[in-house]
Amino acid sequence: MGVNVLAFATSPRRHGNSETLLDALLGAMAKEENVTVEKYALDEIDIQPCRGCNACEELNRCIIDDDDLGWVLEKIIAADIVVMASPVFCMGMCAQAKALVDRMQVLRSRKYVLHLPVIPAERQGKRLGAFLSTAGQDWDYVFDGLIPSVKCFFHVMEIKNRDISYLMVNNVDKMGALAAHPTATADAVALGKQMIEEIKTRLAGEERDMQEDKKTEPKKDGPA
């Protein structure tokens, strides 16, 4: 069974430290067998800010229909692993990342207001998420402010706390600073491999369950 990985590079500064960290993780994932990786940079697609209109609570879709959210949501729901990478701007995630998080309001409405499934029941607990971040400051609390938004992003797509991995590297400010960090790249590679191993174990269990269900299905009567 193949693994589908969907990743978002959110920084407005392309190929900076957060995206470099993301590329190391995705490169490790892509080397594994039967893994497909898709990465989208938010500066190359159109995700408008949420209007806070709550129309999705009645429509089960976002009222903004002239940007890229529609196909992005389809890919998010279909993915086995969803990854977001963002730098820290003013003690939070960058505006481009927050815009995508805010537009997940449509999934929040689907789940909590309309009480409709976001993903099929059989896929519950069989998806993983990861959040990668870099910051120029060396404070140990520099990432604290963005964690609630990260959890919201994953929770509404049915990826729970226990299934979210974090890799956050501080004291890397200038372009290319990540390359000089003693462990960041190796940590990203290790996390990528670990996540693929975990998701393959979960998906293999799902496939075994489906095969067992087929074995126990009652046989149809033949012709009289």
Side-chain angles (χ1 to χ4, degrees), residues 15 19 49 59 108 120 132 143 152 162 173 175 178-179 186 197 224:
H15 309 297
E19 189 172 355
L59 300 176
R108 171 260 175 195
L132 282 57
F143 300 105
C152 179
R162 64 180 179 270
D173 192 20
M175 193 79 163
L178 190 83
E197 181 179 350

Side-chain angles (χ1 to χ4, degrees), residues 175-209:
M175 193 79 163
L178 190 83
H181 191 280
T183 65
T185 300
D187 289 343
V189 169
L191 178 59
K193 292 179 178 178
Q194 174 188 330
M195 292 184 71
I196 295 300
E197 181 179 350
E198 174 62 25
I199 199 66
K200 284 186 174 181
T201 298
R202 297 189 186 196
L203 294 177
E206 177 185 6
E207 190 170 4
R208 285 195 300 269
D209 291 343

Side-chain angles (χ1 to χ4, degrees), residues 84-187:
M84 175 186 278
S86 171
V88 171
F89 283 4
C90 295
M91 304 304 290
M93 60 177 61
C94 65
Q96 292 79 3
K98 190 58 165 60
L100 179 59
V101 172
D102 289 348
R103 291 292 296 283
M104 295 299 103
Q105 179 78 352
V106 66
L107 297 185
R108 171 260 175 195
S109 295
R110 187 173 302 172
K111 181 177 179 180
Y112 295 111
V113 179
L114 299 174
H115 304 291
L116 297 171
V118 173
I119 61 171
E122 62 270 17
R123 296 186 65 212
Q124 292 282 349
K126 298 183 176 68
R127 307 176 77 212
L128 299 176
F131 180 75
L132 282 57
S133 188
T134 56
Q137 299 88 346
D138 61 358
W139 311 321
D140 57 2
Y141 56 87
V142 70
F143 300 105
D144 291 356
L146 51 75
I147 296 299
S149 293
V150 172
K151 290 182 177 180
C152 179
F153 177 67
F154 287 115
H155 287 180
V156 295
M157 66 179 74
E158 299 290 7
I159 297 177
K160 308 299 184 186
N161 280 344
R162 64 180 179 270
D163 298 323
I164 305 171
S165 297
Y166 298 89
L167 179 55
M168 298 183 284
V169 182
N170 59 358
N171 205 24
V172 286
D173 192 20
K174 294 182 179 180
M175 193 79 163
L178 190 83
H181 191 280
T183 65
T185 300
D187 289 343

Side-chain angles (χ1 to χ4, degrees), residues 26-47:
L26 297 180
M29 289 179 164
K31 289 179 181 178
E32 299 296 316
E33 188 176 1
N34 295 325
V35 175
T36 301
V37 173
E38 289 185 89
K39 184 184 86 169
Y40 294 94
L42 292 192
D43 74 334
E44 296 179 352
I45 62 177
D46 182 18
I47 300 293

